[in-house]
């Protein structure tokens, strides 16, 4: 298993799955969520609506999987990161759960390459350095990590890219 670092737009990544930093409604939003739905087309939203009708959205820390529609990836794994609230609302554990549950879902679907954005580090304001530490730590310690070929961290901005570069 290789860990890779890429600077750029996750919607361009040809992986078995790209991860979306969604919100609990699963109906789309801003940031990476907006980009994925915009470029992936309506098939993604249609599957999100089916999941919503079945289980009423997605709770913080949990993950669901849909088609990637028109994107080069095969699947989108939607996870809902915690909103940063100063650190006293279990944010670290919830962010850890996001990465872990995405990996678990990917493992169950026999996926080999997964690309992650910096979940919660945009509109949800989780501190970028702390979030990167949790992301790397969770991925490295995932019990079935050897089942994957490549895990890719996709950084959209220079600051995040530098943080990951240092940590990796
Ligand atoms: P959240 O609500 O979980 O904070 P955001 O989408 O606002 O989600 O931001 C999560 C991270 O994704 C941020 O670091 C942001 O810079 C980054 N991001 C935004 N657009 C893209 C994109 N197209 N590809 C990869 N990362 C992106």
């Amino acid at each position: 298993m290789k860990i890779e670092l890429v600077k750029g737009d996750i919607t361009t990544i040809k992986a078995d799955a790209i991860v979306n930093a969604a919100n609990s409604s699963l109906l789309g939003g801003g940031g990476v969520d907006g980009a994925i739905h915009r470029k992936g087309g309506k098939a993604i939203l249609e599957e999100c609506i089916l999941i919503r009708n079945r289980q009423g959205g997605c709770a913080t820390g949990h993950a669901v999987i849909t088609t990637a529609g028109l994107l080069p990836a095969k699947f989108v794994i939607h996870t809902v990161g915690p909103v940063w609230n100063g650190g006293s609302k279990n944010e670290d554990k919830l962010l850890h759960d996001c990465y872990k549950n995405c990996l678990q879902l990917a493992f169950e679907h026999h996926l080999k390459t997964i690309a992650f954005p910096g979940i919660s580090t945009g509109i949800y304001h989780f501190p970028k350095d702390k979030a990167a530490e949790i992301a790397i730590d969770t991925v490295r310690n995932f019990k079935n990590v050897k089942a994957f070929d490549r895990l890719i961290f996709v950084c959209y901005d220079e600051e995040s890219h530098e943080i990951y570069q240092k940590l990796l």
Side-chain angles (χ1 to χ4, degrees):
M1 193 283 293
K2 265 195 346 196
I3 292 182
E4 278 181 17
L5 181 60
V6 169
K7 186 163 177 289
D9 180 352
I10 201 166
T11 62
T12 67
I13 304 276
K14 194 169 180 245
D16 289 338
I18 61 168
V19 171
N20 181 18
N23 60 55
S24 56
S25 78
L26 296 176
L27 296 179
V32 70
D33 196 9
I36 286 172
H37 281 285
R38 210 162 39 244
K39 295 190 188 163
K42 65 178 192 321
I44 301 176
L45 186 61
E46 282 167 2
E47 283 193 22
C48 283
I49 289 169
L50 289 178
I51 294 167
R52 231 177 104 81
N53 292 343
R54 202 164 59 228
Q55 64 178 56
C58 182
T60 305
H62 291 228
V64 299
I65 188 165
T66 68
T67 176
L70 303 171
L71 297 174
K74 291 187 194 138
F75 296 94
V76 175
I77 297 176
H78 307 259
T79 188
V80 182
V83 176
W84 180 255
N85 223 303
S88 60
K89 295 272 188 334
N90 216 16
E91 293 97 321
D92 288 14
K93 166 73 166 57
L94 289 166
L95 188 62
H96 163 85
D97 289 349
C98 286
Y99 284 94
K100 196 179 85 185
N101 287 324
C102 288
L103 291 168
Q104 184 58 32
L105 208 46
F107 176 71
E108 286 165 10
H109 284 77
H110 310 289
L111 308 183
K112 298 291 180 192
T113 55
I114 328 293
F116 290 94
I119 301 162
S120 284
T121 64
I123 301 158
Y124 285 1
H125 289 300
F126 203 108
K128 288 181 180 181
D129 46 357
K130 201 171 169 55
E133 275 176 33
I134 293 169
I136 293 168
D137 192 59
T138 306
V139 159
R140 282 189 174 150
N141 291 308
F142 182 68
K143 64 179 186 304
N144 292 309
V145 73
K146 287 189 178 139
F148 301 114
D149 292 338
R150 272 188 313 139
L151 297 173
I152 308 158
F153 291 114
V154 183
C155 296
Y156 200 53
D157 59 275
E158 186 52 40
E159 187 194 357
S160 301
H161 189 249
E162 279 172 19
I163 290 169
Y164 273 87
Q165 237 169 3
K166 278 197 192 115
L167 291 172
L168 289 168

